Amino acid sequence: MKELVEIIVKELVENKEAVEIFEERNDGEVNITILVDDNDKGRVIGVRGNIINAIRTIARSAAIKEDVKVNIKI
């Protein structure tokens, strides 16, 4: 799950080295935290949150295979 989100986010940002993704698993729940450079936050969030919502949708689709719930925070 972490790798999927990392691939997507790194393609969106300019400063790829500053991207950090943390994954925490608890009882059927996966919490993913995305850390990016301040200048790239707008690129990851998108207008009205469209990009981050698309990333969340993709992650939820992948989570169905693993039978877990996923939460993504920036």
Side-chain angles (χ1 to χ4, degrees):
M1 189 80 55
K2 173 184 174 182
E3 294 81 16
L4 173 66
V5 173
E6 188 170 9
I7 289 168
I8 295 169
V9 171
K10 281 191 174 183
E11 290 302 316
L12 294 172
V13 299
E14 286 185 10
N15 189 358
K16 296 178 186 342
E17 293 81 29
V19 174
E20 293 184 51
I21 311 286
F22 299 101
E23 179 180 78
E24 181 183 328
R25 292 181 178 255
N26 296 324
D27 299 327
E29 189 172 298
V30 179
N31 295 313
I32 297 176
T33 305
I34 302 171
L35 298 177
V36 295
D37 190 59
D38 286 340
N39 296 328
D40 289 326
K41 280 188 181 179
R43 292 176 181 268
V44 175
I45 295 170
V47 177
R48 288 182 273 158
N50 287 338
I51 302 222
I52 191 63
N53 286 335
I55 294 170
R56 286 180 174 131
T57 300
I58 293 168
R60 284 186 190 121
S61 297
I64 292 171
K65 283 178 117 177
E66 297 182 25
D67 195 34
V68 294
K69 181 180 175 188
V70 66
N71 298 312
I72 297 180
K73 300 176 192 170
I74 297 181

Coordinates of all heavy atoms in Angstrom, one line a residue:
M1 N 0.8 -1.2 0.0 CA 0.0 0.0 0.0 C 0.9 1.3 0.0 O 0.6 2.2 -0.8 CB -0.9 0.0 1.2 CG -1.9 1.0 1.2 SD -3.4 0.6 0.2 CE -3.8 -0.9 0.9
K2 N 1.9 1.3 0.9 CA 2.8 2.4 1.0 C 3.5 2.7 -0.4 O 3.6 3.8 -0.8 CB 3.8 2.1 2.1 CG 4.9 3.1 2.2 CD 5.9 2.7 3.2 CE 7.1 3.7 3.2 NZ 8.1 3.3 4.2
E3 N 3.9 1.6 -1.0 CA 4.6 1.7 -2.3 C 3.8 2.4 -3.4 O 4.2 3.2 -4.1 CB 5.2 0.4 -2.7 CG 6.2 -0.2 -1.8 CD 5.6 -0.9 -0.6 OE1 4.4 -1.2 -0.6 OE2 6.4 -1.1 0.4
L4 N 2.5 2.0 -3.4 CA 1.6 2.5 -4.4 C 1.4 4.0 -4.2 O 1.5 4.8 -5.2 CB 0.2 1.8 -4.3 CG -0.9 2.4 -5.1 CD1 -0.6 2.2 -6.6 CD2 -2.2 1.7 -4.7
V5 N 1.2 4.5 -3.0 CA 1.0 5.9 -2.7 C 2.3 6.6 -3.0 O 2.3 7.7 -3.5 CB 0.6 6.1 -1.2 CG1 0.5 7.6 -0.9 CG2 -0.8 5.5 -1.0
E6 N 3.4 6.0 -2.6 CA 4.7 6.7 -2.9 C 5.0 6.9 -4.4 O 5.4 8.0 -4.8 CB 5.8 5.8 -2.3 CG 7.2 6.5 -2.3 CD 8.2 5.7 -1.5 OE1 7.9 4.6 -1.0 OE2 9.3 6.3 -1.3
I7 N 4.7 5.9 -5.2 CA 4.9 6.1 -6.6 C 4.0 7.2 -7.2 O 4.5 8.1 -7.9 CB 4.5 4.8 -7.4 CG1 5.6 3.7 -7.0 CG2 4.4 5.0 -8.9 CD1 5.1 2.3 -7.5
I8 N 2.8 7.3 -6.8 CA 1.9 8.3 -7.2 C 2.3 9.7 -6.8 O 2.4 10.6 -7.6 CB 0.4 8.1 -6.8 CG1 -0.1 6.8 -7.4 CG2 -0.5 9.3 -7.1 CD1 -1.4 6.3 -6.8
V9 N 2.7 9.9 -5.5 CA 3.0 11.2 -5.0 C 4.3 11.6 -5.6 O 4.5 12.8 -5.9 CB 3.1 11.1 -3.4 CG1 3.7 12.4 -2.9 CG2 1.8 10.9 -2.8
K10 N 5.3 10.8 -5.8 CA 6.6 11.2 -6.3 C 6.5 11.7 -7.8 O 7.2 12.5 -8.2 CB 7.6 10.0 -6.3 CG 8.2 9.9 -4.9 CD 9.4 9.0 -4.8 CE 10.0 9.0 -3.5 NZ 11.2 8.1 -3.4
E11 N 5.5 11.2 -8.5 CA 5.3 11.7 -9.9 C 4.6 13.1 -9.9 O 4.7 13.8 -10.9 CB 4.4 10.7 -10.6 CG 5.1 9.4 -11.0 CD 6.4 9.6 -11.7 OE1 6.4 10.4 -12.7 OE2 7.4 9.0 -11.4
L12 N 4.0 13.4 -8.8 CA 3.3 14.7 -8.7 C 4.2 15.9 -8.3 O 4.0 17.0 -8.7 CB 2.1 14.6 -7.7 CG 1.0 13.7 -8.1 CD1 0.0 13.6 -7.0 CD2 0.3 14.2 -9.4
V13 N 5.2 15.6 -7.5 CA 6.0 16.7 -6.8 C 7.2 17.0 -7.6 O 7.7 16.2 -8.5 CB 6.3 16.3 -5.4 CG1 5.1 16.1 -4.5 CG2 7.2 15.1 -5.3
E14 N 7.8 18.2 -7.4 CA 9.0 18.6 -8.0 C 10.2 18.1 -7.2 O 11.2 17.7 -7.7 CB 9.1 20.1 -8.1 CG 8.2 20.6 -9.2 CD 8.4 22.1 -9.4 OE1 9.3 22.7 -8.8 OE2 7.6 22.7 -10.1
N15 N 10.1 18.1 -5.8 CA 11.2 17.7 -5.0 C 11.0 16.3 -4.5 O 10.4 16.1 -3.4 CB 11.3 18.7 -3.8 CG 12.5 18.4 -2.9 OD1 13.3 17.5 -3.2 ND2 12.7 19.3 -1.9
K16 N 11.4 15.3 -5.3 CA 11.1 13.9 -5.0 C 11.8 13.4 -3.8 O 11.4 12.5 -3.1 CB 11.4 13.1 -6.2 CG 10.5 13.4 -7.4 CD 11.0 12.5 -8.6 CE 10.2 12.8 -9.9 NZ 9.0 13.6 -9.9
E17 N 13.0 14.0 -3.5 CA 13.8 13.6 -2.3 C 13.1 13.9 -1.0 O 13.4 13.3 0.0 CB 15.2 14.2 -2.4 CG 16.1 13.7 -3.5 CD 15.7 14.4 -4.9 OE1 15.3 15.6 -4.8 OE2 15.9 13.8 -5.9
A18 N 12.3 14.9 -1.0 CA 11.6 15.3 0.2 C 10.4 14.5 0.6 O 9.8 14.7 1.6 CB 11.3 16.8 0.1
V19 N 10.0 13.6 -0.3 CA 8.8 12.8 -0.1 C 9.1 11.7 1.0 O 10.0 10.9 0.8 CB 8.3 12.2 -1.4 CG1 7.1 11.2 -1.1 CG2 7.9 13.2 -2.4
E20 N 8.3 11.7 2.0 CA 8.3 10.6 3.0 C 6.9 10.0 3.2 O 6.0 10.8 3.4 CB 8.9 11.1 4.3 CG 10.3 11.6 4.2 CD 10.9 12.0 5.6 OE1 10.7 11.2 6.6 OE2 11.4 13.1 5.7
I21 N 6.8 8.7 3.2 CA 5.6 8.1 3.4 C 5.7 7.1 4.6 O 6.6 6.3 4.6 CB 5.1 7.2 2.2 CG1 5.3 8.0 0.9 CG2 3.8 6.6 2.4 CD1 4.2 9.1 0.7
F22 N 4.8 7.3 5.6 CA 4.8 6.4 6.7 C 3.6 5.6 6.8 O 2.5 6.1 6.5 CB 4.9 7.2 8.0 CG 6.2 8.0 8.1 CD1 6.2 9.4 7.8 CD2 7.4 7.5 8.5 CE1 7.3 10.2 7.9 CE2 8.5 8.2 8.5 CZ 8.5 9.6 8.2
E23 N 3.7 4.3 7.1 CA 2.6 3.4 7.1 C 2.5 2.7 8.5 O 3.5 2.2 9.0 CB 2.7 2.3 6.0 CG 1.6 1.3 6.0 CD 1.8 0.3 4.9 OE1 2.6 -0.6 5.1 OE2 1.2 0.4 3.9
E24 N 1.3 2.8 9.1 CA 1.1 2.1 10.4 C -0.1 1.2 10.2 O -1.2 1.6 9.8 CB 0.8 3.2 11.4 CG 0.6 2.7 12.8 CD 0.3 3.8 13.8 OE1 0.8 5.0 13.6 OE2 -0.5 3.6 14.7
R25 N 0.0 0.0 10.6 CA -1.1 -1.0 10.5 C -1.6 -1.4 11.9 O -0.8 -1.7 12.8 CB -0.6 -2.3 9.8 CG -0.3 -2.0 8.3 CD 0.1 -3.3 7.6 NE 0.4 -3.0 6.2 CZ -0.5 -3.4 5.3 NH1 -1.6 -4.0 5.5 NH2 -0.2 -3.1 4.0
N26 N -2.9 -1.3 12.1 CA -3.6 -1.6 13.3 C -4.9 -2.3 13.1 O -5.8 -1.8 12.5 CB -3.9 -0.4 14.2 CG -2.6 0.4 14.6 OD1 -1.6 -0.3 14.9 ND2 -2.7 1.7 14.6
D27 N -5.0 -3.6 13.5 CA -6.3 -4.3 13.5 C -7.2 -4.0 12.2 O -8.3 -3.5 12.3 CB -7.1 -3.9 14.7 CG -6.4 -4.3 16.0 OD1 -5.7 -5.3 16.0 OD2 -6.6 -3.6 17.0
G28 N -6.6 -4.4 11.0 CA -7.4 -4.2 9.8 C -7.5 -2.8 9.3 O -8.4 -2.5 8.5
E29 N -6.7 -1.9 9.8 CA -6.7 -0.5 9.4 C -5.3 -0.1 9.1 O -4.3 -0.4 9.8 CB -7.3 0.4 10.5 CG -7.5 1.8 10.1 CD -8.2 2.6 11.2 OE1 -9.4 2.2 11.5 OE2 -7.6 3.5 11.7
V30 N -5.1 0.6 8.0 CA -3.8 1.1 7.6 C -3.9 2.6 7.5 O -4.7 3.2 6.9 CB -3.4 0.6 6.1 CG1 -2.1 1.1 5.7 CG2 -3.4 -0.9 6.1
N31 N -3.0 3.2 8.3 CA -2.9 4.7 8.3 C -1.6 5.1 7.6 O -0.5 4.7 7.9 CB -2.8 5.2 9.8 CG -4.1 5.0 10.5 OD1 -5.1 5.2 10.0 ND2 -3.9 4.5 11.7
I32 N -1.8 5.9 6.5 CA -0.6 6.4 5.7 C -0.5 7.9 5.9 O -1.5 8.6 5.7 CB -0.8 6.0 4.2 CG1 -0.9 4.5 4.1 CG2 0.3 6.6 3.4 CD1 -1.2 4.0 2.7
T33 N 0.7 8.3 6.2 CA 1.0 9.7 6.4 C 1.9 10.1 5.3 O 3.0 9.5 5.1 CB 1.6 10.0 7.8 OG1 0.7 9.5 8.8 CG2 1.8 11.5 8.0
I34 N 1.6 11.2 4.6 CA 2.4 11.7 3.5 C 3.1 13.0 3.9 O 2.4 13.9 4.3 CB 1.6 12.0 2.2 CG1 0.9 10.7 1.8 CG2 2.4 12.5 1.1 CD1 -0.2 10.9 0.7
L35 N 4.4 13.1 3.8 CA 5.1 14.3 4.1 C 5.8 14.7 2.8 O 6.6 13.9 2.2 CB 6.2 14.1 5.2 CG 5.7 13.6 6.6 CD1 6.8 13.4 7.5 CD2 4.8 14.7 7.1
V36 N 5.6 16.0 2.4 CA 6.2 16.5 1.2 C 6.7 17.9 1.6 O 6.4 18.5 2.6 CB 5.3 16.6 0.0 CG1 4.8 15.2 -0.4 CG2 4.0 17.4 0.3
D37 N 7.5 18.4 0.7 CA 8.0 19.8 0.8 C 6.8 20.8 0.8 O 5.8 20.5 0.1 CB 9.0 20.1 -0.4 CG 9.7 21.4 -0.2 OD1 10.4 21.6 0.8 OD2 9.5 22.3 -1.1
D38 N 7.0 21.9 1.5 CA 5.9 22.8 1.6 C 5.4 23.4 0.2 O 4.3 23.6 0.0 CB 6.2 24.0 2.5 CG 6.2 23.7 4.0 OD1 5.6 22.7 4.3 OD2 6.9 24.4 4.8
N39 N 6.4 23.5 -0.7 CA 6.1 24.0 -2.0 C 5.3 23.0 -2.8 O 4.7 23.4 -3.8 CB 7.4 24.4 -2.8 CG 8.1 25.5 -2.1 OD1 7.5 26.4 -1.5 ND2 9.4 25.5 -2.2
D40 N 5.3 21.7 -2.5 CA 4.6 20.7 -3.2 C 3.3 20.3 -2.6 O 2.6 19.5 -3.2 CB 5.5 19.4 -3.3 CG 6.7 19.7 -4.3 OD1 6.6 20.4 -5.2 OD2 7.8 19.1 -4.0
K41 N 2.9 20.8 -1.5 CA 1.7 20.4 -0.8 C 0.5 20.7 -1.7 O -0.4 19.9 -1.8 CB 1.5 21.1 0.5 CG 2.3 20.4 1.6 CD 1.9 21.0 3.0 CE 2.7 20.3 4.0 NZ 2.5 20.8 5.3
G42 N 0.5 21.8 -2.4 CA -0.6 22.2 -3.3 C -0.7 21.2 -4.5 O -1.8 20.9 -4.9
R43 N 0.4 20.7 -4.9 CA 0.4 19.7 -6.0 C -0.3 18.4 -5.6 O -1.0 17.8 -6.4 CB 1.8 19.5 -6.5 CG 2.4 20.6 -7.2 CD 3.8 20.3 -7.6 NE 4.5 21.4 -8.3 CZ 4.5 21.5 -9.6 NH1 3.9 20.7 -10.3 NH2 5.1 22.6 -10.1
V44 N 0.0 18.0 -4.4 CA -0.5 16.7 -3.9 C -2.0 16.9 -3.5 O -2.8 16.0 -3.8 CB 0.3 16.2 -2.7 CG1 -0.4 15.0 -2.1 CG2 1.7 16.0 -3.1
I45 N -2.4 18.0 -2.9 CA -3.8 18.2 -2.6 C -4.7 18.5 -3.8 O -5.7 18.0 -3.9 CB -3.9 19.4 -1.5 CG1 -3.2 19.0 -0.2 CG2 -5.3 19.7 -1.2 CD1 -3.0 20.1 0.8
G46 N -4.2 19.4 -4.7 CA -5.0 19.7 -5.8 C -6.1 20.8 -5.6 O -6.3 21.1 -4.4
V47 N -6.7 21.2 -6.6 CA -7.8 22.2 -6.5 C -9.0 21.5 -5.8 O -9.4 20.5 -6.2 CB -8.2 22.7 -7.9 CG1 -9.3 23.7 -7.8 CG2 -7.0 23.4 -8.6
R48 N -9.4 22.1 -4.7 CA -10.5 21.6 -3.9 C -10.3 20.2 -3.5 O -11.2 19.4 -3.2 CB -11.8 21.7 -4.7 CG -12.3 23.2 -4.8 CD -13.6 23.2 -5.5 NE -13.3 23.3 -6.9 CZ -14.2 23.0 -7.9 NH1 -15.4 22.6 -7.6 NH2 -13.8 23.1 -9.1
G49 N -9.0 19.8 -3.4 CA -8.7 18.4 -2.9 C -8.9 17.3 -3.8 O -9.0 16.1 -3.5
N50 N -9.0 17.6 -5.1 CA -9.3 16.6 -6.1 C -8.2 15.5 -6.2 O -8.5 14.3 -6.3 CB -9.5 17.2 -7.5 CG -10.9 17.9 -7.6 OD1 -11.8 17.6 -6.8 ND2 -11.0 18.9 -8.5
I51 N -7.0 15.9 -6.2 CA -5.9 15.0 -6.3 C -5.8 14.1 -5.1 O -5.7 12.9 -5.3 CB -4.5 15.7 -6.6 CG1 -4.7 16.6 -7.8 CG2 -3.4 14.8 -6.7 CD1 -3.7 16.7 -8.8
I52 N -5.8 14.6 -3.9 CA -5.7 13.8 -2.7 C -6.9 12.8 -2.6 O -6.7 11.7 -2.2 CB -5.5 14.6 -1.4 CG1 -5.1 13.7 -0.3 CG2 -6.7 15.4 -1.1 CD1 -3.8 12.9 -0.4
N53 N -8.0 13.3 -3.1 CA -9.2 12.4 -3.1 C -9.0 11.3 -4.1 O -9.5 10.1 -3.8 CB -10.5 13.2 -3.3 CG -10.9 14.0 -2.1 OD1 -10.6 13.7 -1.0 ND2 -11.6 15.1 -2.4
A54 N -8.4 11.6 -5.2 CA -8.2 10.5 -6.2 C -7.2 9.5 -5.6 O -7.3 8.3 -5.8 CB -7.7 11.1 -7.5
I55 N -6.1 10.0 -4.9 CA -5.1 9.1 -4.3 C -5.8 8.2 -3.3 O -5.6 7.0 -3.2 CB -4.0 9.9 -3.7 CG1 -3.2 10.6 -4.8 CG2 -3.1 9.0 -2.9 CD1 -2.2 11.6 -4.3
R56 N -6.7 8.8 -2.5 CA -7.4 8.0 -1.5 C -8.3 6.9 -2.1 O -8.4 5.8 -1.6 CB -8.3 8.9 -0.6 CG -7.5 9.8 0.3 CD -8.4 10.7 1.2 NE -7.6 11.4 2.2 CZ -7.6 12.7 2.4 NH1 -8.5 13.4 1.7 NH2 -6.9 13.2 3.3
T57 N -9.0 7.3 -3.2 CA -9.8 6.3 -3.9 C -9.0 5.1 -4.5 O -9.4 4.0 -4.3 CB -10.5 7.0 -5.1 OG1 -11.3 8.1 -4.6 CG2 -11.4 6.0 -5.9
I58 N -7.8 5.4 -5.0 CA -7.0 4.4 -5.5 C -6.5 3.5 -4.4 O -6.5 2.3 -4.5 CB -5.8 5.0 -6.3 CG1 -6.3 5.6 -7.6 CG2 -4.7 3.9 -6.6 CD1 -5.2 6.5 -8.3
A59 N -6.1 4.1 -3.3 CA -5.6 3.3 -2.1 C -6.7 2.5 -1.5 O -6.5 1.3 -1.2 CB -5.1 4.3 -1.1
R60 N -7.9 3.0 -1.5 CA -9.1 2.2 -1.0 C -9.4 1.0 -1.9 O -9.7 -0.1 -1.4 CB -10.3 3.1 -0.9 CG -10.3 4.0 0.3 CD -11.6 4.7 0.6 NE -11.4 5.8 1.6 CZ -11.5 7.1 1.4 NH1 -12.0 7.5 0.2 NH2 -11.3 7.9 2.3
S61 N -9.2 1.2 -3.2 CA -9.4 0.1 -4.1 C -8.4 -1.0 -3.9 O -8.7 -2.2 -3.9 CB -9.3 0.6 -5.6 OG -10.3 1.5 -5.8
A62 N -7.1 -0.6 -3.7 CA -6.1 -1.5 -3.4 C -6.3 -2.2 -2.0 O -5.9 -3.4 -1.8 CB -4.7 -0.9 -3.4
A63 N -6.9 -1.5 -1.1 CA -7.1 -2.0 0.3 C -8.1 -3.1 0.3 O -8.1 -4.0 1.1 CB -7.5 -0.9 1.2
I64 N -9.0 -3.1 -0.7 CA -10.1 -4.1 -0.8 C -9.4 -5.5 -1.0 O -9.8 -6.5 -0.4 CB -11.0 -3.8 -1.9 CG1 -11.9 -2.6 -1.6 CG2 -11.9 -5.0 -2.2 CD1 -12.7 -2.1 -2.7
K65 N -8.3 -5.6 -1.8 CA -7.6 -6.8 -1.9 C -7.0 -7.3 -0.6 O -7.0 -8.6 -0.4 CB -6.5 -6.6 -2.9 CG -6.9 -6.6 -4.4 CD -5.7 -6.4 -5.2 CE -5.5 -7.5 -6.1 NZ -4.4 -7.3 -7.1
E66 N -6.6 -6.4 0.2 CA -6.0 -6.8 1.5 C -7.0 -6.9 2.6 O -6.6 -7.2 3.7 CB -4.9 -5.8 1.9 CG -3.7 -5.8 0.9 CD -2.6 -4.8 1.3 OE1 -2.5 -4.5 2.5 OE2 -1.9 -4.3 0.4
D67 N -8.2 -6.6 2.3 CA -9.3 -6.6 3.3 C -9.0 -5.7 4.5 O -9.1 -6.1 5.7 CB -9.6 -8.0 3.7 CG -10.9 -8.1 4.5 OD1 -11.9 -7.4 4.1 OD2 -11.1 -9.0 5.4
V68 N -8.6 -4.5 4.2 CA -8.3 -3.5 5.3 C -8.9 -2.2 4.9 O -9.3 -1.9 3.8 CB -6.7 -3.3 5.5 CG1 -6.1 -4.5 6.0 CG2 -6.1 -2.8 4.2
K69 N -9.0 -1.3 5.9 CA -9.5 0.1 5.7 C -8.2 1.0 5.7 O -7.3 0.8 6.4 CB -10.4 0.5 6.8 CG -11.0 1.8 6.7 CD -11.9 2.2 7.9 CE -12.3 3.6 7.7 NZ -13.0 4.1 8.9
V70 N -8.2 1.9 4.8 CA -7.1 2.8 4.6 C -7.4 4.3 4.9 O -8.5 4.7 4.5 CB -6.4 2.6 3.3 CG1 -7.3 3.1 2.2 CG2 -5.1 3.3 3.2
N71 N -6.6 5.0 5.6 CA -6.7 6.4 5.9 C -5.4 7.1 5.4 O -4.3 6.6 5.8 CB -6.9 6.7 7.4 CG -8.2 6.0 7.9 OD1 -9.2 6.2 7.3 ND2 -8.0 5.3 9.0
I72 N -5.6 8.2 4.7 CA -4.4 8.9 4.2 C -4.4 10.3 4.8 O -5.5 11.0 4.7 CB -4.3 8.9 2.7 CG1 -4.2 7.5 2.2 CG2 -3.2 9.8 2.2 CD1 -4.1 7.4 0.7
K73 N -3.3 10.8 5.3 CA -3.2 12.1 5.9 C -2.0 12.8 5.3 O -1.0 12.1 5.0 CB -3.0 12.1 7.4 CG -4.2 11.4 8.1 CD -3.8 11.4 9.6 CE -4.9 10.5 10.3 NZ -4.5 10.2 11.7
I74 N -2.0 14.1 5.2 CA -0.9 14.9 4.7 C -0.3 15.7 5.8 O -1.1 16.3 6.5 CB -1.3 15.8 3.5 CG1 -1.8 15.0 2.4 CG2 -0.1 16.7 3.1 CD1 -2.1 15.8 1.1

